[in-house]
Amino acid sequence: MKRKLDKNGEPVEAPPKTKSKAAQPSQPAQSEEPSQPEKQEPATEPSFAELGLDPRLVQAVAKQSFEKPTLVQRKAIPLALQGQDVLCKAKTGSGKTAAYVLPVLSSILRRKVADPTQFTAALVLVPTRELADQVFKAIEQFSAFSAKDIHAAKLTENLSDAVQRSLLANVPDIVVATPARAWHSVSSAALSLDRLQHLVLDEADLVLSYGYDEDMENIARSLPKGVQTIMMSATLSPELDTLKGIFCRNPTVLDLKEEFGAEDEKLTQFYVKCSEEDKWLISYLIFKLQLIKGPCLIFVADIDRSYRLKLFFEQFSIRSCVLNSELPINTRIKIIEEFNRGIYDIIIASDEKSEIFGDEAAEEEKGKQSKKPSKNNQGDNSEQPKKKRKHSKDEEYGVSRGIDFKNVAAVVNFDMPTSASSYTHRIGRTARAGRAGIALSFVIPKDQHGKHKATTIKSTEKDEKVLAKIMRQQAKLNRTLEPYNFNKSQMEAFRYRMNDALRAVTKVAIREARTRELRQELLRSETLKRYFEENPTELAHLRHDGELGRTTRHQPHLKHVPDYLLPKDGKKALAQDGGVGFVPFKKMDGKDRRHHRKGKGGKGRSFKVGGRKDPLKTFKVRRKAK
Ligand SMILES: Nc1ncnc2c1ncn2[C@@H]1O[C@H](COP(=O)(O)OP(=O)(O)OP(=O)(O)O)[C@@H](O)[C@H]1O
């Protein structure tokens, strides 16, 4: 039974004095208690050292330049250090990873002082391979000063069973894996959970959506008694209840409200209602004229779409890279790393999972009949999103959730997600850890859907419904989405160029781009290196194929925007009535513009998010009089 908590996530009753888990079930049920007056946060917030963490971890945290713990860290770390089960819901980008990694590492270090026996004490389950990589890196960073005492392993790479076995033969203290990988290792006796002490489910609301129900059940059966369970999630979903039922005993539930009030909100949200064709035109203008600057994440509905947009941008010399489930995991991780290092400014990510997480608009139409409580989701396929089993794609792929893309200035929903919760997760890739960011979503009005055969896509049919739902959801958080209006007449001058570029991006060109990308990966593959050494002619063929076939028409004239195309008052005139629509990330005086063109530091980065150069400080939204 869950405990009552105040608005700040403080348990209303005093936390148990005992550190022993065994004592917990005997505590009286608290959930029916009336609400207590809110507890005030202490005048000064505790530092990491004051949270009771091992000093070596505090040192590592300082190295990361984390000045003070975030709300979720202040609340969850002490509870986890006491050995309690914790179910924590906190917003995206609020620092949940450190909130569980630090106490788990601290407990392992503390235990090792008394008992240096080597065994796997912690298992961290995450829904995607990308996330596993990220969590593993966080563990490495936080154990920088205790590396000889903490040995971690990640079980998600495309490693052979033999290699994974040898990894596990070293008996890591902490294992990070997707549930499928973890169960595979447990069932083959490569990983022993016999002495497990901590189980973490990160992005817990997702694990069942990814079709891991059976793996979770199997893992649950293999756990010894008394394992501490920590569940982290950015949203509350019925799946959490299912998992709570399977794994937790009397967890403390932390439902943490936003750390910042509306006035501190650093995320600005816009939407553009436009035709299917204008979506391409506006995107071209936004990126070519740099109306949005800085690292940007563009979400599209499927893989073909990601290549179509990339090739379309290429026509105008706008550089971008694609991220999708077809690419090998190592490539995906590399792309995320390179984006975080500032090598790419635009990632076009296909959010195929958005479909799986439920088309809420469709659900609404079904009259919400399926509101029956599901005690246990096993076999309950009617309520569970369908597992997608497609061979070419990686089912453990996911970029809209959990991944810590650094300093993302803008998230663009080129194609709307099909649910409000997908939207929350997508926009959560920007404005992280108190930084600024914008979200811009293209919405196709219902009467415009299907009108432009070349670019129409099924998933955007219910954009308006989804938008309405998103607006309601955001309003609950005191957030609004503002219309982002373009001056249509000024856009017209660019239309023929956009059409020219769209025509060049044929289906054949997209197919070719898709296979070319995969071919490049084959050429880079370490696994195939040996094979190619022995079969050099095949390597030559593969290379030759790659050099051939650039099926997109090359149109050098599209690269530059001639001055006569630009409106008299420059880019600003593109915004209708000079109002919403111009998104300068930085005040652009003459000097700055030169600076931008040159591409500061040769990296093409021309602004900082947050700090003195906070682009949003110069951003004016003029509400349109209704
Ligand atoms: N105390 C802190 N001070 C400063 N930065 C922090 C702190 N804790 C975490 N961060 C940074 O905040 C960013 C977001 O953290 P993290 O990825 O853990 O968020 P999250 O809540 O797990 O997000 P999501 O729900 O999207 O997975 C990371 O770049 C992390 O390094």
Side-chain angles (χ1 to χ4, degrees), residues 48 64-70 73 90-98 134 203 234 401-404 406 428-429 432-433 435:
F48 277 103
Q64 298 279 305
S65 313
F66 290 5
E67 282 172 21
K68 56 185 174 71
T70 62
Q73 291 159 3
K91 73 169 192 167
T92 56
S94 55
K96 293 191 286 296
T97 316
Q134 188 175 297
E203 301 286 334
R401 317 243 173 162
I403 298 300
D404 188 29
K406 305 270 183 211
R429 300 313 103 206
R432 290 170 76 76
R435 295 187 197 99

Side-chain angles (χ1 to χ4, degrees), residues 502-552:
L502 260 186
R503 269 194 299 272
V505 185
T506 58
K507 277 189 181 156
V508 178
I510 294 168
R511 204 170 50 232
E512 162 62 19
R514 230 169 134 161
T515 39
R516 194 172 49 236
E517 189 105 13
L518 290 175
R519 202 183 292 121
Q520 291 306 320
E521 290 314 318
L522 283 182
L523 285 170
R524 282 196 282 262
S525 164
E526 282 297 314
T527 331
L528 289 177
K529 220 174 190 168
R530 181 88 185 272
Y531 175 80
F532 286 141
E533 274 166 19
E534 287 162 11
N535 302 279
T537 40
E538 293 207 18
L539 179 63
H541 283 314
L542 203 59
R543 282 223 171 96
H544 181 64
D545 284 354
E547 283 154 14
L548 279 178
R550 260 201 83 86
T551 41
T552 329

Side-chain angles (χ1 to χ4, degrees), residues 185-196:
S185 301
V186 173
S187 60
S188 61
L191 171 64
S192 166
L193 301 182
D194 291 353
R195 298 192 64 185
L196 200 80

Side-chain angles (χ1 to χ4, degrees), residues 234-468:
T235 48
L236 286 178
S237 75
E239 297 189 347
L240 283 180
D241 284 333
T242 307
L243 289 171
K244 195 171 77 172
I246 300 175
F247 291 102
C248 299
R249 297 154 310 149
N250 202 22
T252 299
V253 181
L254 295 173
D255 183 1
L256 300 176
K257 300 286 176 280
E258 307 292 297
E259 186 151 13
F260 303 104
E263 66 285 1
D264 298 318
E265 185 62 58
K266 292 193 177 152
L267 172 70
T268 320
Q269 301 177 64
F270 296 99
Y271 66 91
V272 194
K273 281 198 180 180
C274 65
S275 69
E276 289 166 325
E277 191 184 2
D278 283 0
K279 191 194 272 201
W280 297 80
L281 177 55
I282 295 172
S283 301
Y284 152 45
L285 288 173
I286 284 178
F287 289 101
K288 190 66 196 171
L289 303 181
Q290 297 190 330
L291 301 185
I292 286 179
K293 285 195 175 64
C296 180
L297 201 51
I298 304 178
F299 285 105
V300 294
D302 62 40
I303 300 179
D304 261 6
R305 197 94 160 154
S306 63
Y307 285 103
R308 185 183 283 268
L309 190 57
K310 178 184 157 67
L311 294 178
F312 173 74
F313 279 165
E314 263 177 21
Q315 296 278 309
F316 306 109
S317 288
I318 302 168
R319 285 191 62 230
S320 64
C321 69
V322 292
L323 190 57
N324 60 55
S325 60
E326 211 174 52
L327 298 170
I329 177 66
N330 292 342
T331 311
R332 278 156 23 206
I333 288 171
K334 202 171 99 220
I335 289 171
I336 294 169
E337 273 172 8
E338 290 183 343
F339 179 81
N340 285 343
R341 290 212 313 270
I343 292 171
Y344 301 113
D345 257 355
I346 303 175
I347 286 189
I348 303 172
S350 65
D351 191 14
E352 301 129 62
K353 289 285 176 189
S354 157
E355 299 280 312
I356 300 174
F357 298 130
D359 182 336
E360 288 171 14
E363 268 167 32
E364 262 182 13
E365 266 169 26
K366 275 189 220 153
K368 292 174 189 163
Q369 304 227 354
S370 59
K371 253 201 137 189
K372 276 190 181 162
S374 89
K375 292 151 253 139
N376 192 334
N377 286 12
Q378 300 164 273
D380 189 1
N381 290 333
S382 60
E383 290 199 2
Q384 277 298 301
K386 284 237 156 55
K387 295 178 200 175
K388 293 207 167 171
R389 298 262 169 221
K390 283 189 186 156
H391 294 300
S392 57
K393 295 183 191 174
D394 182 351
E395 288 166 31
E396 298 179 351
Y397 161 83
V399 286
S400 67
R401 317 243 173 162
I403 298 300
D404 188 29
F405 290 98
K406 305 270 183 211
N407 300 329
V408 175
V411 166
V412 175
N413 289 313
F414 184 83
D415 295 322
M416 280 290 268
T418 50
S419 70
S421 64
S422 274
Y423 178 85
T424 305
H425 286 284
R426 285 186 186 185
I427 64 168
R429 300 313 103 206
T430 186
R432 290 170 76 76
R435 295 187 197 99
I438 71 161
L440 173 67
S441 305
F442 286 98
V443 177
I444 309 293
K446 195 163 172 40
D447 59 354
Q448 297 281 328
H449 184 263
K451 293 280 167 15
H452 192 247
K453 290 277 173 285
T455 59
T456 190
I457 188 162
K458 174 117 185 44
S459 72
T460 59
E461 200 177 349
K462 298 191 182 104
D463 276 4
E464 282 183 315
K465 270 194 166 173
V466 177
L467 176 69

